Amino acid sequence: MTRDHFSAILRAAIIVVLISGMLRVAAAQPGEPAPGAAATREPIGQFLAIGAPLDDAAYGKVSRVALDLQNRAKQERRPGILVLEIKPGSSPFHQVQGLAKFLANEVPSLTTVAFVPQTVRGHHAVLALACKEIVLAPDAELGDIGLGKAVDLDDRSFVINLVNKRHNRQLGEALVIGMLEPQAEVTLVQIEIGDPPRIESRL
């Protein structure tokens, strides 16, 4: 599978529109009961950039900011959005794994968004997979976690299990295997189902 083919499949699967999808606020009319406090108040958010190498200090900063944002959002009954800019670079897998576990498990009430302005390959791609949403810049790509080499079996299992928890429902195991295995072929197909018929895309 060529890099261009993989990039096209990946973009079709995970590109999201951040503004229309997450910053929509329902307005309650005067005298009408609010459908929910979180739905009638504007979201609060935080932006952080994650560079390389990822270390304990960076993990501590992200975790502190994320937990503070989650607590504030709960107290104010507002949606919380954490946007993480994932920058290219190389970091030890255990550092990436620790932060990915935190994002996937410790801040469930936040909408975590991976913003990828430049092409990211290698271990840092796993951080994007741990988020609930992924936003790619028009020319950016995300993938090739092993940088052309086979990924360690334990690391591979972690990434697949992370995606199978379905934090991000735009991702699936087949797509991620294509990011883990250089020789894997990932095919995007469209099928017609239902009555009236509708088109669904599947990997």
Side-chain angles (χ1 to χ4, degrees):
M1 178 176 57
T2 68
R3 181 174 298 173
D4 288 343
H5 289 161
F6 180 77
S7 175
I9 292 171
L10 185 61
R11 291 177 190 215
I14 67 176
I15 291 180
V16 296
V17 180
L18 177 60
I19 295 177
S20 65
M22 296 190 307
L23 300 184
R24 186 182 305 136
V25 179
Q29 297 298 322
E32 292 183 359
T40 59
R41 305 193 66 182
E42 292 186 357
I44 55 175
Q46 183 73 42
F47 178 93
L48 286 175
I50 300 179
L54 182 63
D55 55 19
D56 291 344
Y59 174 93
K61 179 178 180 180
V62 174
S63 61
R64 285 193 302 271
V65 169
L67 291 172
D68 287 346
L69 178 62
Q70 180 172 252
N71 290 335
R72 181 184 167 195
K74 287 181 178 179
Q75 291 172 359
E76 299 180 11
R77 298 184 180 181
R78 299 165 67 183
I81 301 172
L82 177 65
V83 179
L84 299 173
E85 179 184 349
I86 311 298
K87 296 184 176 182
S90 177
S91 296
F93 188 84
H94 73 274
Q95 293 284 9
V96 171
Q97 182 181 38
L99 184 54
K101 284 182 177 179
F102 172 84
L103 294 171
N105 300 321
E106 301 301 325
V107 284
S109 64
L110 292 183
T111 297
T112 51
V113 182
F115 171 52
V116 185
Q118 305 174 59
T119 293
V120 172
R121 300 188 180 93
H123 296 159
H124 277 210
V126 178
L127 295 175
L129 302 181
C131 294
K132 295 178 180 177
E133 305 283 356
I134 300 176
V135 177
L136 290 174
D139 297 327
E141 299 178 10
L142 183 68
D144 194 5
I145 294 173
L147 296 176
K149 300 179 181 179
V151 177
D152 177 85
L153 289 178
D154 289 340
D155 298 347
R156 181 181 184 276
S157 295
F158 171 80
V159 176
I160 292 174
N161 290 335
L162 177 70
V163 170
N164 282 340
K165 290 181 179 179
R166 306 297 286 174
H167 298 292
N168 184 339
R169 296 195 173 276
Q170 301 298 322
L171 298 175
E173 182 173 333
L175 178 65
V176 175
I177 287 176
M179 299 172 67
L180 290 164
E181 301 179 7
Q183 305 305 318
E185 181 175 349
V186 181
T187 303
L188 179 67
V189 298
Q190 291 186 323
I191 59 174
E192 184 178 288
I193 61 174
D195 186 18
R198 66 182 186 277
I199 302 297
E200 286 192 359
S201 298
R202 297 182 181 178
L203 293 171

